[in-house]
Amino acid sequence: MPRSTYIAEEKKMPGHKPIKDRLTLALCANASGDCKIKPLLVYHSENPRAFKAHKIIKEKLHVMWRANPKAWVTRQFFIDWVNLVFGPSVKKYLKDNNLPLRALLVLENAPAHPPQIEEEILDEYNFVKVLYLPPNTNPILQPLDQQVISNFKKLYTKHLFRRCFEVTENTNLTLREFWKEHFNIAIGLKIIDIAWQGVTKRTLTSAWKKLWPENVAERNFEGFEIEEEEESVEEEILSIGKTIGLKVDERDIEELVEEHSEELVEEHSEELTTDELKELQEQRHTEALTEATSEGEVTEPEIISTKDLKDILAMWERVAGFVEKNHPEKIATSRATELFNDTCLHHFRNILKGRMK
């Protein structure tokens, strides 16, 4: 939300704790503008409560869902995205369009985009080559920085304001009540998808003008058409904002587009520490237990013998070792076994540990 809105100013209200939420979203599209890749989204919680209320299955989201305490894109998250989303999507696109299996992934210099990342790409996607932009050239050359991200943010704001209007119209709901009771990450994900789909092919193609001008079909007044699209979105934001009682002007919208750029560069300057990774592991375990105990059905647990506990844990070690050694999808299976290990077996290890004292 723009800083001058009621919600953004909550931190100044005495006796009221401001709402804090944060995520990182990585967008990707091709130079032709006809292939948008599923975005990578990193949130601060692996299993938000809103997911259960809205019966959300993470595997069916329009984003690749990942989480850590700081909502940062880590090196491993990015590699997962390349192998599980980017590679398969690009391969399908090339085959569907009868194009040769060749692709160039253009990346900015960022900690989540480490050198030699091509070595981490699975063999079946070895047709993907990686090009790193020179340092300090992102505002000039990075295609997504050429109006795409700003256009996406404006579209997101427009649909967020529209959602607020639809919910609060003909009610006594305040904006604070809307934000606390009628908006959550599940609804935010729907708006993200609508906004990303709303970024036009024209906007995506035009973004490559500076980096690859030969690829962009020249059209009369194309630049003016893009500007007209942007102005139309801004006008709608201002109109809806006034309707729901917000004091928002053009400067607020521009501030919304630019305000996080320096912050993200500073925060993503290093990987998560060991303590932060442990915190994420504990967080996942706690959320899994909370979800399990909030189902409303409380049953008396059966007494498990120490021998059965030892046997099942030993069997798991053998299964995990076999999968790690023989399965071709190393990254995907490693993440799956780690998640199962953390969420399912942690409970039984604690029981056995307590008995062995």
Side-chain angles (χ1 to χ4, degrees), residues 219-231:
R219 290 180 292 177
N220 291 333
F221 306 109
E222 182 184 58
F224 293 105
E225 291 174 356
I226 300 293
E227 290 178 5
E228 287 175 1
E229 285 182 5
E230 293 275 315
E231 290 176 0

Side-chain angles (χ1 to χ4, degrees), residues 31 54 82 114 173 188 199 222 246-247 279 295 335 338 351:
H54 290 261
V82 170
L173 281 175
V199 177
E222 182 184 58
L246 296 178
K247 295 181 180 179
E279 179 184 345
E295 293 292 339
R335 181 172 180 83
E338 286 178 6
I351 294 175

Side-chain angles (χ1 to χ4, degrees), residues 5-279:
T5 65
Y6 185 93
I7 295 173
E9 291 293 329
E10 282 185 339
K11 59 185 178 182
K12 297 182 180 180
M13 297 180 183
H16 177 67
K17 185 177 180 180
I19 300 170
K20 294 183 179 180
D21 209 358
R22 183 68 180 273
L23 60 82
T24 301
L25 185 70
L27 303 174
C28 179
N30 69 343
S32 301
D34 60 349
C35 180
K36 293 176 182 174
I37 308 297
K38 178 190 288 190
L40 167 63
L41 186 148
V42 186
Y43 195 56
H44 61 77
S45 172
E46 182 74 37
N47 298 294
R49 292 181 179 178
F51 276 20
K52 183 179 179 183
H54 290 261
K55 298 181 179 179
I56 287 178
I57 301 173
K58 286 182 282 188
E59 290 75 16
K60 294 184 178 181
L61 290 172
H62 294 289
V63 299
M64 182 179 187
W65 180 271
R66 291 293 185 266
N68 62 42
K70 294 182 180 292
W72 288 359
V73 176
T74 64
R75 181 179 184 276
Q76 189 57 55
F77 287 173
F78 186 74
I79 292 171
D80 287 350
W81 176 82
V82 170
N83 284 318
L84 300 178
V85 176
F86 179 81
S89 299
V90 172
K91 189 173 184 177
K92 182 179 185 303
Y93 170 83
L94 294 174
K95 286 187 173 182
D96 289 349
N97 289 275
N98 296 315
L99 296 171
L101 279 180
R102 293 200 300 268
L104 182 67
L105 177 58
V106 180
L107 299 176
E108 61 189 36
N109 275 275
H113 307 154
Q116 290 83 47
I117 200 169
E118 284 186 16
E119 298 176 2
E120 304 285 351
I121 298 177
L122 297 176
D123 290 342
E124 61 183 301
Y125 309 123
N126 59 9
F127 60 87
V128 175
K129 304 304 177 186
V130 179
L131 171 67
Y132 294 89
L133 295 176
N136 305 316
T137 61
N138 291 344
I140 303 172
L141 296 177
Q142 166 61 276
L144 287 180
D145 280 351
Q146 310 302 315
Q147 294 184 312
V148 176
I149 293 176
S150 65
N151 182 241
F152 168 81
K153 287 183 176 181
K154 290 173 183 177
L155 287 168
Y156 179 90
T157 303
K158 181 187 79 171
H159 290 291
L160 175 60
F161 279 19
R162 184 178 292 171
R163 166 78 181 182
C164 181
F165 171 74
E166 291 170 353
V167 172
T168 60
E169 185 183 19
N170 299 322
T171 73
N172 293 322
L173 281 175
T174 65
L175 287 179
R176 186 194 303 179
E177 289 169 338
F178 161 77
W179 197 255
K180 290 180 67 176
E181 300 171 12
H182 298 275
F183 187 85
N184 52 49
I185 183 60
I187 296 171
L189 286 171
K190 293 180 181 179
I191 298 178
I192 285 173
D193 183 49
I194 294 171
W196 183 224
Q197 294 306 317
V199 177
T200 64
K201 181 178 178 180
R202 181 190 300 164
T203 298
L204 293 170
T205 304
S206 178
W208 288 80
K209 268 190 173 182
K210 294 181 180 179
L211 186 62
W212 192 6
E214 297 83 2
N215 178 69
V216 180
E218 294 296 336
R219 290 180 292 177
N220 291 333
F221 306 109
E222 182 184 58
F224 293 105
E225 291 174 356
I226 300 293
E227 290 178 5
E228 287 175 1
E229 285 182 5
E230 293 275 315
E231 290 176 0
S232 175
V233 174
E234 290 179 12
E235 289 173 1
E236 193 165 354
I237 291 173
L238 295 175
S239 175
I240 300 174
K242 291 177 182 178
T243 301
I244 59 179
L246 296 178
K247 295 181 180 179
V248 186
D249 57 28
E250 290 85 351
R251 289 175 298 178
D252 297 314
I253 297 174
E254 291 306 315
E255 181 184 83
L256 174 71
V257 171
E258 301 295 338
E259 66 181 348
H260 296 307
S261 56
E262 292 184 12
E263 184 179 352
L264 287 175
V265 171
E266 292 173 1
E267 288 191 354
H268 286 73
S269 61
E270 58 184 29
E271 288 282 331
L272 292 179
T273 64
T274 302
D275 289 341
E276 287 165 344
L277 290 171
K278 287 181 178 178
E279 179 184 345

